[in-house]
Amino acid sequence: MVKRSVIIAGVGGQGLITIGSILGEALAARGYNVSVGEVHGLSQRGGSVVVFLKYGDGAVSPIVTQSEGDVLVGLELIEAVRRLPLMKKDGVVVVNDFLLPPPGSKTVPARDELLAALPRGNTYVLDARELALRAGSDIALNMVMLGAVVATGVLDLESSEVEGVLSKRFKGEFLKINLQALRLGYDSIKKGPKY
Amino acid sequence: MFARIGLILSLDLKIVAKAVISGGPGERRLLLGNEAIARGALEAGISAATAYPGTPSTEIVESLAEVARDYGIYVEWSTNEKVALEVGIGVSMMGLRALVAMKHVGLNVASDPLMSLGYTGVVGGLVIVSADDPNAHSSQNEQDNRIYGIHANIPVFEPSTVQEAKDLTRELYELSEKFRMSVILRTTTRLAHSRSPVVFGELVRHGRGASFHRDPERWALLPPYNLVKHREVLERLEELSKHLSDFKFNSVEEGEEDTAIVVSGVAYNYVKEALEELGVRLPVFKFASVFPLPRGLALKALSYKQVVVVEELEPVLEWQLKILAYDEGMPARIHGKDVLPRVGELNKEIVKAGISRILGIPYEAPPAPVPLVELPRRPPVLCPGCGHRSTYYAVKLAAQRAGVKPVYANDIGCYTLGFYPPYQMADFTWSMGSSIGIGLGIARFGSEPVIAFIGDSTFFHAGIPALINAVYNKTPLLVIVMDNGVTAMTGHQPHPGSGVGAMGEQRPTVRIEDIAKAVGVRFVETVDAYDVTAVRDSVQRALKFLKETGEPAVVISRRPCALLVLRERRRRGESFKRYTVVKEKCINCGICVDRFACPAIVRDTDGKVAILQDMCTGCGVCAAICPAKAIQPKEG
Ligand code: SF4
Ligand code: SF4
């Protein structure tokens, strides 16, 4: 049975795939069957990218379809709103407060408009870049978002389990920055109010 | 202002380096479908792997290249898929196992040797991976390469899960050698690019002695032998079809109803989820072997009252089952493409809708939500600092100056993005090398010049024969080779012009200008892609040459891929000067943002243009094109 469906949305180059594969590894270590689906190619070049993660027991398919998502992790506001149709009514949204207008687009919705479109009461907003810089590098932005989604408690994961995966993958200074970013993302959700 | 972006330039670090060999038997790891195939091939003890990069197949050979040295196998990026397959065939003639990987359209290029390979068969196991792309996520079409197997008399297999991708790959080498046939492993984007837990088996180092299996009657495809071989292969397929009913990757799950599902590939997962949500228990026949059919199992499936065939794209299983049912006089009603789409990918909801129609269960699609905000599209873009952008910009200027309205022939690669506004410099884009080939047909009859854009890797892949044709048949066409030194679109694989091989080893560099001159092009110029004036002038000279001589010309516009340069800088911890707009000087003409369109340049909330510092790579091209000299390197 599929237990949870996660959608990770953003722009090519933001490190979405890494979030998916780390979550996937931690969930697989719990004994779940996991599928982390990534579609890239053209979309690597600054296009709109979405990663699907599903886990459960038995067969899990690689696509999240309409109204199926339990959690949406948005690394950019336009892309987060774009994937809302995939979300369950009471799904949880964790979104990076960051707006990147597509180059050359004439009509870019305002930040407030985009925020207003997100489900009130179930949305967490954080400034992931600011936290990543505090951890030591803007590259760790995706780790901040990873920490944030774990903190919502929607997934069957403890922060320590994700830290375990990070420790296996990264070394030295880079590991330190990533762990710190994860922690900052986690705390900001635990402390901070919902949108 | 939109001030904070850096991440767009951040790089997905290679986080799973050597994932395919770091793990012993019984260990469970999260692998990408493509990595699982690579692992399976290593567990089968392959000696060689070849490929031309193409989404969604690239990571198979990429991950093998990463471990090739440690592991003692040979890995190469070949100039094209035909060559990749030919090398694989040669390795097999040496009695060794080989893997050849390509995207679906790549098999078209390799189809010539493929058709004969069906007749000759193999000595060492040979697995050809065809990564199909239902939904054409990153491809020009949705062709279903299972049909190639039928056409070429080569068996086709399809895994359903990432675990199965690994296990099936390993098993196929045994089967390939047992039946002396090469096999096609068909995957699809969703499987190739899904990560799931995989339990590892034992790695095998090939350790086989290589020796050429001399057998001219078999390998020389000459008239008296070909018909014999055609008959032989049909017999072997017949034999294989019987054997496949016991093949462990073909399975049957019992059910309660008199309607059976026959499914192959990743669609199996959609079926399982769909049945669960519909609350019905139908028998499920999962076929890993899609050609030939596992005869015994297929007959068993046909003994049900109804059969629903669930497969992506063409009705390959459905056709075969219908033929079998007719021949054997089985009355089963066979459904498939009557209730499921033949276009695009399947998913759980589509499968649910299809099955419930057959079972007569009411089905309600999940509600379509109403969009609250109108969102702008976000097409992929050329990166900040990309040399292709300045080339396009300069070529447009040259055409304006020359007073011509060229036909822009485009090809396959990052530069295909020149199709989008504001450039719109792709009147067509077809297949590898076609910008030149099709361009020739247009140039022969058109009055305006044809300008063909082609990337470096694509030039080596399939551009050269068309260029030779242009020289030989004296056709005026300007070929602009946009040379960034690598196969960038698929993730920076090296090619004959890069000076390195797949395993990171030093290799001789084949120079594009040498080739152009050697095949007889009399106008060959190389320019710096960032130097807008130089590119513009060179293109203008070339257009003049075309007109005066009626011969082809080649301009090579060169700059290393901006992403690679950036990666290298980051690695070395180097800093560089970024550019900024001096607001007092800016006349707000919009050239930099609307016409040049570097993604780092945006219109700020005050309507004036600004450069996003985190995104700027410091290429300086915008400074050169700004008429008011308002863009300048940033001090400090
Ligand atoms: S091209 Fe120069 S003057 Fe024109 S909008 Fe851009 S910065 Fe301002
Ligand atoms: S220097 Fe100008 S063109 Fe080059 S990346 Fe920076 S903003 Fe873009």
Side-chain angles (χ1 to χ4, degrees), chain A residues 1-6 33-36 52-66 68-70, chain B residues 160-161 196 253 261 263 266-282 284 310 346-353 355 363:
Chain A
M1 243 191 72
V2 175
K3 189 146 189 219
R4 289 278 186 269
S5 301
V6 185
N33 190 18
V34 183
S35 169
V36 189
F52 297 137
L53 182 150
K54 276 171 118 170
Y55 70 91
D57 309 312
V60 288
S61 73
I63 306 180
V64 178
T65 48
Q66 210 158 295
E68 201 189 3
D70 296 288
Chain B
S160 298
T161 62
S196 278
E253 291 162 32
I261 305 275
V263 60
V266 76
Y268 170 75
N269 303 289
Y270 307 136
V271 166
K272 292 296 285 183
E273 280 184 9
L275 293 181
E276 196 179 286
E277 288 185 17
L278 288 170
V280 288
R281 283 197 66 227
L282 306 187
V284 177
V310 183
L346 297 179
N347 64 36
K348 178 194 66 187
E349 288 304 326
I350 295 173
V351 171
K352 245 163 96 181
I355 292 176
Y363 167 79

Side-chain angles (χ1 to χ4, degrees), chain B residues 336-590:
Chain B
K337 295 300 167 184
D338 53 342
V339 292
L340 292 164
R342 196 165 166 171
V343 176
E345 277 184 301
L346 297 179
N347 64 36
K348 178 194 66 187
E349 288 304 326
I350 295 173
V351 171
K352 245 163 96 181
I355 292 176
S356 45
R357 239 179 91 190
I358 298 299
L359 298 180
I361 311 174
Y363 167 79
E364 227 179 284
V370 241
L372 292 165
V373 200
E374 207 183 314
L375 299 174
R377 281 168 37 82
R378 191 189 297 278
V381 289
L382 294 167
C383 306
C386 175
H388 300 331
R389 176 179 297 101
S390 44
T391 305
Y392 280 133
Y393 191 82
V395 172
K396 227 176 204 172
L397 289 183
Q400 267 162 22
R401 284 203 165 193
V404 291
K405 197 173 172 296
V407 173
Y408 291 117
N410 214 307
D411 222 295
I412 311 287
C414 289
Y415 50 92
T416 310
L417 302 178
F419 169 82
Y420 294 108
Y423 290 102
Q424 293 172 294
M425 288 167 86
D427 286 316
F428 66 85
T429 136
W430 213 263
S431 53
M432 300 287 286
S434 300
S435 64
I436 305 178
I438 295 177
L440 291 175
I442 296 169
R444 172 76 38 203
F445 295 100
S447 54
E448 297 288 3
V450 176
I451 299 185
F453 296 105
I454 189 165
D456 37 347
S457 191
T458 312
F459 179 79
F460 290 115
H461 179 284
I464 298 169
L467 183 62
I468 293 174
N469 193 65
V471 173
Y472 174 62
N473 290 310
K474 206 164 183 272
T475 315
L477 155 128
L478 170 55
V479 178
I480 297 180
V481 186
M482 301 175 113
D483 180 9
N484 60 11
V486 284
T487 317
M489 184 55 119
T490 45
H492 304 113
Q493 293 75 25
H495 60 59
S498 305
V500 280
M503 305 183 280
E505 73 281 29
Q506 285 288 315
R507 289 279 187 238
T509 307
V510 181
R511 283 166 40 95
I512 295 167
E513 36 283 71
D514 291 349
I515 293 176
K517 283 180 197 150
V519 304
V521 180
R522 291 197 299 134
F523 185 104
V524 181
E525 286 188 4
T526 304
V527 283
D528 175 358
Y530 281 176
D531 190 340
V532 172
T533 317
V535 180
R536 182 198 66 195
D537 292 349
S538 175
V539 168
Q540 256 191 284
R541 280 193 295 276
L543 289 174
K544 195 158 158 264
F545 175 85
L546 245 57
K547 209 168 165 192
E548 284 168 6
T549 62
E551 291 177 32
V554 171
V555 172
I556 300 151
S557 184
R558 181 170 287 149
R559 258 293 161 168
C561 170
L563 272 182
L564 277 191
V565 172
L566 210 66
R567 196 171 291 180
E568 190 56 22
R569 274 192 198 144
R570 241 189 225 278
R571 210 175 53 81
R572 294 217 200 106
E574 271 173 30
S575 61
F576 57 94
K577 267 207 185 348
R578 295 182 163 86
Y579 282 71
T580 179
V581 180
V582 181
K583 296 226 167 179
E584 301 73 50
K585 286 195 162 188
C586 173
I587 52 170
N588 218 12
C589 67

Side-chain angles (χ1 to χ4, degrees), chain A residues 13 34 36 45 79 129 169, chain B residues 7 15 195-196 378 488 614:
Chain A
V34 183
V36 189
R45 308 283 177 243
E79 295 313 312
R129 180 170 189 264
R169 284 201 183 186
Chain B
L7 43 113
I15 39 164
R195 274 174 214 280
S196 278
R378 191 189 297 278
D614 293 351

Side-chain angles (χ1 to χ4, degrees), chain A residues 169, chain B residues 13-22 35 63 66-67:
Chain A
R169 284 201 183 186
Chain B
L13 294 134
K14 280 247 154 47
I15 39 164
V16 275
K18 312 212 165 167
V20 300
I21 51 166
S22 58
E35 292 168 345
S63 50
E66 234 172 65
V67 302

